[in-house]
Amino acid sequence: MSDSEDEAPDKQLKIVIMGDGASGKTSLATRYSQEQFGRQYKQTVGLDFFLKRIVLPGGVHVALQVWDIGGQTLGGKMLENYIYGANGILLVYDITNVASFENVEDWYSNIKKVFGRDTKIPHIALVGNKIDLEHMRTVKMDRHQKFAQEKGMSSHFVSAKTGDNVSLCFQRVAAEILGVKLTKPEVEQHQRVVKAEIIHYKNEAAAKPVPTQPKSSLCSIQ
């Protein structure tokens, strides 16, 4: 990857992030562009804009313009202006919130209305966020995969909090838009493994200390 502004990018891609409020869109954009995660939720009003420069296999330099659209814009008058000219759209939902997944259908319908039948629809990715909360998942993976397949979307699971698969998600989307094939080492480079927290449970049976044999203070010299 390269964030250098000295090298002129070969391609420029507009990537729009859409979805319900609190689904993690801003956290996803911030994690990807700045490697940061804000723990306090702040609603995006209108849109936020991020820029990220990447290098795809074959030395293809790409400037990604990431547009983070506020969740309240669904059905709003400005939505068409925001997503116009997009090369790729990330439809983000929270895997612990069924409603956010069900509302993806409405976001998708709005995209279809904007681009119409005569205009080529941009690459659309279905992104399940907050995989760090897998134990709280309410949207089954097969339901996610079925919806993505029916709508012709690419499928992704990420965690904006831990950064897992975030870089890989954007890398894959950019590569698919430009028709660049990612190699296995390239995928592994941008893939991170979720590390589960280790929880120590108190065991009453083991509460009493086990008596230890007193150590001898003597030492022998050979």
Side-chain angles (χ1 to χ4, degrees), residues 103-175:
N103 289 337
V104 166
E105 180 80 56
D106 295 328
W107 288 101
Y108 179 77
S109 297
N110 272 268
I111 295 171
K112 297 276 283 186
K113 289 178 183 178
V114 170
F115 289 92
R117 295 182 178 179
D118 300 328
T119 309
K120 183 181 178 182
I121 294 180
H123 175 89
I124 302 177
L126 181 61
V127 182
N129 187 29
K130 305 187 183 181
I131 59 172
D132 53 289
L133 300 177
E134 183 66 34
H135 59 290
M136 297 172 60
R137 175 189 284 275
T138 57
V139 181
K140 293 183 179 180
M141 292 185 68
D142 57 352
R143 187 179 179 188
H144 167 112
Q145 301 289 12
K146 182 180 179 181
F147 184 82
Q149 188 174 12
E150 288 177 349
K151 304 298 183 183
M153 305 177 183
S154 59
S155 172
H156 311 264
F157 291 100
V158 303
S159 169
K161 182 177 181 179
T162 64
D164 289 282
N165 296 331
V166 171
S167 178
L168 178 61
C169 172
F170 283 89
Q171 198 83 354
R172 282 179 55 194
V173 169

Side-chain angles (χ1 to χ4, degrees), residues 24 47 57 60 82 87 96 107 125 139 145 159 167 184 191 195 214 218 221:
L47 67 85
V60 181
Y82 291 157
N87 301 105
T96 71
W107 288 101
V139 181
Q145 301 289 12
S159 169
S167 178
K184 186 177 180 181
Q191 192 172 32
K195 294 182 179 180
L218 298 177
I221 301 176

Side-chain angles (χ1 to χ4, degrees), residues 17-28 41 68-71 90-97 99-101 104 107 127-131 158-160:
I17 304 179
M18 302 170 61
D20 280 9
S23 60
K25 301 185 302 299
T26 300
S27 296
L28 180 62
Y41 173 63
D68 168 28
I69 297 180
L90 272 58
L91 289 179
V92 181
Y93 74 92
D94 175 357
I95 67 167
T96 71
N97 185 339
S100 70
F101 174 76
V104 166
W107 288 101
V127 182
N129 187 29
K130 305 187 183 181
I131 59 172
V158 303
S159 169

